[in-house]
Amino acid sequence: MSTTVVSLISMGTMGALFALGLAVASKKFAVETDPRVDEIEEVLPGVNCGACGFAGCRSFAEGVASGKAPTNGCPVGGARVAKLVAEILGVEDQGSAGRKVAQVLCKGGHEEAKRRGDYMGPQDCRIANAVQGGDKGCSYGCLGYGTCASVCPFDAIVMNENGLPVVLEDKCTACGKCVAACPRDIIVLVDEVQGVHIRCRSEELGRAVRSVCSVGCIACRRCEKACPTGAITVEDNLARIDYDKCINCRKCVEVCPMNTIEAQEGKPVIKKKSAS
Amino acid sequence: MNLLVILLSAILVNNFVLVRFLGICPFMGVSKQVETALGMGLATTFVMVVASAATWLIQWFILEPFGLPFLQNVAFILVIASMVQLVEMFLHKTSPSLYRSMGIFLPLITTNCAILGLAIMAVQGGYTFIESVVFGLGGGLGFTLALVLLAGIREELRFSDVPKPLQGAGIAFIVAGLLSLAFSGFAGLV
């Protein structure tokens, strides 16, 4: 009995003393922080992925509070988080910044594109490209050794049987690792809503393209003429699309003789495009 | 003379990390950069010194007179946790970058077994108050020494050609083992 009481009193007193000391210290060493930073951090996903360009969710929250980052800067949180952050700061919600996904700009796999030799080295596009410019007939096309798939930290790229990478868009986080790894700069990050892509990077003349690939752009300019918004221009023997203008109308897809331009399913026509 | 022996013994011969194998968690976790390792070491040293003084007072003026030695662990952890909280507040205020680079390992000093071990060993060794504090200082300095040594080697390792299966944690553990072997050379000195 007495032991219990003594234990309780001594431990309780010690605890109270330390608590008092810490309370004083916390006043003395209090760090002035913007209370909004904590509130913003609360609503962020909290995975510290760094996709916003800041070192983590905390840094991003500080950036938003000090006006260095946009309220919709968190790509993982999307529109929901953007709205909450805007509410905390008392500013107008700017909506989701739009998720980006990787797009592979080459359609020439084993079936469509010719090879000009046999490459027996390590199965890595970067190495293959360094050996005499790769074994592909087209010096712009995908080498097909799957370096993009192997560097993807989210398993969002798989190589299909035709030797071309396929982006699984629901897994893609637009981290840009594949873009950096591809020795031929075939992969680009594009707003998820964009559904029409010119899948060719070749700046060769039409005849040279035809001789090595059955789906390459021959710069016939039919897409350029068909486009109602002026989103496509042909430059250096290659049709190029301006995603800021493209509305997914698919008129270019219908007229392309080489089937280079591809429309993705499930991406509807964009009705209104704000000038940005 | 006796104090010097206690100090050197705690730093080298019975180094808490490399010989007694206490506090391995921050030893591996915060030893990637010398600067961070030094900060961690000094924070731990501070906690060790203050904790060894406080726990000595608690042991001989509260626990023993009231017949409560069984509360030793609880009381000591209470002291250590408070000290760690204090250090955490202090660091957050004075050096935010160090605070951030130490991350979770700073509050984890609380559960660093080297500190509780030190407090209990000081009691078991029957040290006086001064001896206790010197023992704490030695323990802390030894901990810092081990951390900084490993961090220095790991910084150099970043530029060396390590076989793939051993890269990262693997080679760090091997280096830690070799360091520990080297420190066993001090055995029998005191």
PDB file of all heavy atoms in Angstrom, chain B residues 61-78:
ATOM      1  N   PHE B  61      18.541   9.701  -4.506  1.00  0.00           N
ATOM      2  CA  PHE B  61      17.759  10.563  -3.611  1.00  0.00           C
ATOM      3  C   PHE B  61      16.271  10.253  -3.648  1.00  0.00           C
ATOM      4  O   PHE B  61      15.538  10.702  -2.781  1.00  0.00           O
ATOM      5  CB  PHE B  61      17.991  12.040  -3.954  1.00  0.00           C
ATOM      6  CG  PHE B  61      19.331  12.537  -3.493  1.00  0.00           C
ATOM      7  CD1 PHE B  61      20.369  12.726  -4.386  1.00  0.00           C
ATOM      8  CD2 PHE B  61      19.555  12.783  -2.136  1.00  0.00           C
ATOM      9  CE1 PHE B  61      21.598  13.167  -3.953  1.00  0.00           C
ATOM     10  CE2 PHE B  61      20.792  13.229  -1.698  1.00  0.00           C
ATOM     11  CZ  PHE B  61      21.824  13.419  -2.607  1.00  0.00           C
ATOM     12  N   ILE B  62      15.819   9.537  -4.663  1.00  0.00           N
ATOM     13  CA  ILE B  62      14.387   9.217  -4.702  1.00  0.00           C
ATOM     14  C   ILE B  62      14.159   7.708  -4.650  1.00  0.00           C
ATOM     15  O   ILE B  62      13.503   7.199  -3.747  1.00  0.00           O
ATOM     16  CB  ILE B  62      13.720   9.812  -5.970  1.00  0.00           C
ATOM     17  CG1 ILE B  62      13.828  11.328  -5.947  1.00  0.00           C
ATOM     18  CG2 ILE B  62      12.260   9.384  -6.054  1.00  0.00           C
ATOM     19  CD1 ILE B  62      13.268  12.015  -7.167  1.00  0.00           C
ATOM     20  N   LEU B  63      14.740   7.003  -5.614  1.00  0.00           N
ATOM     21  CA  LEU B  63      14.409   5.580  -5.732  1.00  0.00           C
ATOM     22  C   LEU B  63      14.913   4.778  -4.533  1.00  0.00           C
ATOM     23  O   LEU B  63      14.154   4.008  -3.933  1.00  0.00           O
ATOM     24  CB  LEU B  63      14.967   5.013  -7.037  1.00  0.00           C
ATOM     25  CG  LEU B  63      14.412   5.617  -8.326  1.00  0.00           C
ATOM     26  CD1 LEU B  63      14.986   4.913  -9.536  1.00  0.00           C
ATOM     27  CD2 LEU B  63      12.892   5.533  -8.349  1.00  0.00           C
ATOM     28  N   GLU B  64      16.194   4.925  -4.167  1.00  0.00           N
ATOM     29  CA  GLU B  64      16.759   4.126  -3.080  1.00  0.00           C
ATOM     30  C   GLU B  64      16.130   4.464  -1.721  1.00  0.00           C
ATOM     31  O   GLU B  64      15.659   3.558  -1.035  1.00  0.00           O
ATOM     32  CB  GLU B  64      18.280   4.298  -3.026  1.00  0.00           C
ATOM     33  CG  GLU B  64      19.031   3.613  -4.162  1.00  0.00           C
ATOM     34  CD  GLU B  64      18.990   2.088  -4.069  1.00  0.00           C
ATOM     35  OE1 GLU B  64      18.844   1.553  -2.946  1.00  0.00           O
ATOM     36  OE2 GLU B  64      19.085   1.429  -5.119  1.00  0.00           O
ATOM     37  N   PRO B  65      16.071   5.761  -1.338  1.00  0.00           N
ATOM     38  CA  PRO B  65      15.511   6.065  -0.013  1.00  0.00           C
ATOM     39  C   PRO B  65      14.064   5.610   0.143  1.00  0.00           C
ATOM     40  O   PRO B  65      13.667   5.189   1.223  1.00  0.00           O
ATOM     41  CB  PRO B  65      15.597   7.596   0.072  1.00  0.00           C
ATOM     42  CG  PRO B  65      16.616   7.986  -0.932  1.00  0.00           C
ATOM     43  CD  PRO B  65      16.558   6.977  -2.015  1.00  0.00           C
ATOM     44  N   PHE B  66      13.280   5.688  -0.934  1.00  0.00           N
ATOM     45  CA  PHE B  66      11.870   5.296  -0.821  1.00  0.00           C
ATOM     46  C   PHE B  66      11.647   3.827  -1.137  1.00  0.00           C
ATOM     47  O   PHE B  66      10.516   3.364  -1.192  1.00  0.00           O
ATOM     48  CB  PHE B  66      11.005   6.155  -1.749  1.00  0.00           C
ATOM     49  CG  PHE B  66      10.938   7.599  -1.337  1.00  0.00           C
ATOM     50  CD1 PHE B  66      11.364   8.597  -2.187  1.00  0.00           C
ATOM     51  CD2 PHE B  66      10.452   7.951  -0.079  1.00  0.00           C
ATOM     52  CE1 PHE B  66      11.310   9.930  -1.801  1.00  0.00           C
ATOM     53  CE2 PHE B  66      10.392   9.275   0.312  1.00  0.00           C
ATOM     54  CZ  PHE B  66      10.829  10.274  -0.545  1.00  0.00           C
ATOM     55  N   GLY B  67      12.738   3.096  -1.409  1.00  0.00           N
ATOM     56  CA  GLY B  67      12.612   1.659  -1.682  1.00  0.00           C
ATOM     57  C   GLY B  67      11.907   1.372  -2.989  1.00  0.00           C
ATOM     58  O   GLY B  67      11.060   0.485  -3.069  1.00  0.00           O
ATOM     59  N   LEU B  68      12.229   2.161  -4.006  1.00  0.00           N
ATOM     60  CA  LEU B  68      11.550   1.972  -5.293  1.00  0.00           C
ATOM     61  C   LEU B  68      12.516   1.627  -6.429  1.00  0.00           C
ATOM     62  O   LEU B  68      12.336   2.110  -7.543  1.00  0.00           O
ATOM     63  CB  LEU B  68      10.801   3.254  -5.683  1.00  0.00           C
ATOM     64  CG  LEU B  68       9.792   3.822  -4.694  1.00  0.00           C
ATOM     65  CD1 LEU B  68       9.387   5.219  -5.125  1.00  0.00           C
ATOM     66  CD2 LEU B  68       8.588   2.920  -4.619  1.00  0.00           C
ATOM     67  N   PRO B  69      13.557   0.837  -6.212  1.00  0.00           N
ATOM     68  CA  PRO B  69      14.513   0.586  -7.309  1.00  0.00           C
ATOM     69  C   PRO B  69      13.847  -0.083  -8.506  1.00  0.00           C
ATOM     70  O   PRO B  69      14.352   0.012  -9.629  1.00  0.00           O
ATOM     71  CB  PRO B  69      15.552  -0.344  -6.687  1.00  0.00           C
ATOM     72  CG  PRO B  69      15.302  -0.333  -5.233  1.00  0.00           C
ATOM     73  CD  PRO B  69      13.898   0.079  -5.019  1.00  0.00           C
ATOM     74  N   PHE B  70      12.701  -0.729  -8.279  1.00  0.00           N
ATOM     75  CA  PHE B  70      12.034  -1.424  -9.395  1.00  0.00           C
ATOM     76  C   PHE B  70      11.472  -0.430 -10.414  1.00  0.00           C
ATOM     77  O   PHE B  70      11.126  -0.796 -11.514  1.00  0.00           O
ATOM     78  CB  PHE B  70      10.920  -2.348  -8.871  1.00  0.00           C
ATOM     79  CG  PHE B  70       9.860  -1.620  -8.103  1.00  0.00           C
ATOM     80  CD1 PHE B  70       8.755  -1.111  -8.779  1.00  0.00           C
ATOM     81  CD2 PHE B  70       9.949  -1.451  -6.725  1.00  0.00           C
ATOM     82  CE1 PHE B  70       7.776  -0.444  -8.093  1.00  0.00           C
ATOM     83  CE2 PHE B  70       8.964  -0.772  -6.047  1.00  0.00           C
ATOM     84  CZ  PHE B  70       7.876  -0.259  -6.715  1.00  0.00           C
ATOM     85  N   LEU B  71      11.388   0.846  -9.994  1.00  0.00           N
ATOM     86  CA  LEU B  71      10.873   1.855 -10.926  1.00  0.00           C
ATOM     87  C   LEU B  71      11.987   2.491 -11.755  1.00  0.00           C
ATOM     88  O   LEU B  71      11.775   3.468 -12.451  1.00  0.00           O
ATOM     89  CB  LEU B  71      10.121   2.949 -10.169  1.00  0.00           C
ATOM     90  CG  LEU B  71       8.704   2.595  -9.749  1.00  0.00           C
ATOM     91  CD1 LEU B  71       8.094   3.728  -8.949  1.00  0.00           C
ATOM     92  CD2 LEU B  71       7.840   2.303 -10.970  1.00  0.00           C
ATOM     93  N   GLN B  72      13.185   1.897 -11.638  1.00  0.00           N
ATOM     94  CA  GLN B  72      14.348   2.486 -12.291  1.00  0.00           C
ATOM     95  C   GLN B  72      14.115   2.788 -13.774  1.00  0.00           C
ATOM     96  O   GLN B  72      14.286   3.923 -14.226  1.00  0.00           O
ATOM     97  CB  GLN B  72      15.526   1.522 -12.137  1.00  0.00           C
ATOM     98  CG  GLN B  72      16.865   2.157 -12.362  1.00  0.00           C
ATOM     99  CD  GLN B  72      17.977   1.138 -12.292  1.00  0.00           C
ATOM    100  OE1 GLN B  72      17.856   0.049 -12.860  1.00  0.00           O
ATOM    101  NE2 GLN B  72      19.033   1.463 -11.594  1.00  0.00           N
ATOM    102  N   ASN B  73      13.699   1.757 -14.533  1.00  0.00           N
ATOM    103  CA  ASN B  73      13.527   1.930 -15.987  1.00  0.00           C
ATOM    104  C   ASN B  73      12.540   3.044 -16.301  1.00  0.00           C
ATOM    105  O   ASN B  73      12.792   3.903 -17.123  1.00  0.00           O
ATOM    106  CB  ASN B  73      13.030   0.624 -16.623  1.00  0.00           C
ATOM    107  CG  ASN B  73      14.143  -0.386 -16.736  1.00  0.00           C
ATOM    108  OD1 ASN B  73      15.285  -0.077 -16.405  1.00  0.00           O
ATOM    109  ND2 ASN B  73      13.810  -1.575 -17.189  1.00  0.00           N
ATOM    110  N   VAL B  74      11.413   3.014 -15.591  1.00  0.00           N
ATOM    111  CA  VAL B  74      10.368   4.006 -15.866  1.00  0.00           C
ATOM    112  C   VAL B  74      10.886   5.402 -15.587  1.00  0.00           C
ATOM    113  O   VAL B  74      10.768   6.317 -16.417  1.00  0.00           O
ATOM    114  CB  VAL B  74       9.126   3.722 -14.986  1.00  0.00           C
ATOM    115  CG1 VAL B  74       8.019   4.700 -15.330  1.00  0.00           C
ATOM    116  CG2 VAL B  74       8.672   2.297 -15.168  1.00  0.00           C
ATOM    117  N   ALA B  75      11.515   5.568 -14.420  1.00  0.00           N
ATOM    118  CA  ALA B  75      11.989   6.895 -14.031  1.00  0.00           C
ATOM    119  C   ALA B  75      13.053   7.391 -14.991  1.00  0.00           C
ATOM    120  O   ALA B  75      13.054   8.557 -15.396  1.00  0.00           O
ATOM    121  CB  ALA B  75      12.539   6.841 -12.609  1.00  0.00           C
ATOM    122  N   PHE B  76      13.970   6.492 -15.367  1.00  0.00           N
ATOM    123  CA  PHE B  76      15.066   6.904 -16.245  1.00  0.00           C
ATOM    124  C   PHE B  76      14.548   7.299 -17.624  1.00  0.00           C
ATOM    125  O   PHE B  76      14.980   8.290 -18.206  1.00  0.00           O
ATOM    126  CB  PHE B  76      16.104   5.781 -16.377  1.00  0.00           C
ATOM    127  CG  PHE B  76      16.951   5.609 -15.134  1.00  0.00           C
ATOM    128  CD1 PHE B  76      16.673   6.343 -13.994  1.00  0.00           C
ATOM    129  CD2 PHE B  76      18.024   4.745 -15.121  1.00  0.00           C
ATOM    130  CE1 PHE B  76      17.438   6.197 -12.848  1.00  0.00           C
ATOM    131  CE2 PHE B  76      18.796   4.606 -13.984  1.00  0.00           C
ATOM    132  CZ  PHE B  76      18.494   5.321 -12.843  1.00  0.00           C
ATOM    133  N   ILE B  77      13.620   6.506 -18.140  1.00  0.00           N
ATOM    134  CA  ILE B  77      13.064   6.823 -19.467  1.00  0.00           C
ATOM    135  C   ILE B  77      12.353   8.167 -19.425  1.00  0.00           C
ATOM    136  O   ILE B  77      12.409   8.962 -20.364  1.00  0.00           O
ATOM    137  CB  ILE B  77      12.097   5.697 -19.934  1.00  0.00           C
ATOM    138  CG1 ILE B  77      12.891   4.509 -20.443  1.00  0.00           C
ATOM    139  CG2 ILE B  77      11.172   6.184 -21.019  1.00  0.00           C
ATOM    140  CD1 ILE B  77      13.658   4.761 -21.723  1.00  0.00           C
ATOM    141  N   LEU B  78      11.711   8.442 -18.289  1.00  0.00           N
ATOM    142  CA  LEU B  78      11.023   9.732 -18.121  1.00  0.00           C
ATOM    143  C   LEU B  78      12.021  10.872 -18.269  1.00  0.00           C
ATOM    144  O   LEU B  78      11.789  11.834 -19.021  1.00  0.00           O
ATOM    145  CB  LEU B  78      10.376   9.769 -16.734  1.00  0.00           C
ATOM    146  CG  LEU B  78       9.499  10.977 -16.417  1.00  0.00           C
ATOM    147  CD1 LEU B  78       8.267  10.975 -17.260  1.00  0.00           C
ATOM    148  CD2 LEU B  78       9.132  10.983 -14.944  1.00  0.00           C
TER     149      LEU B  78
END
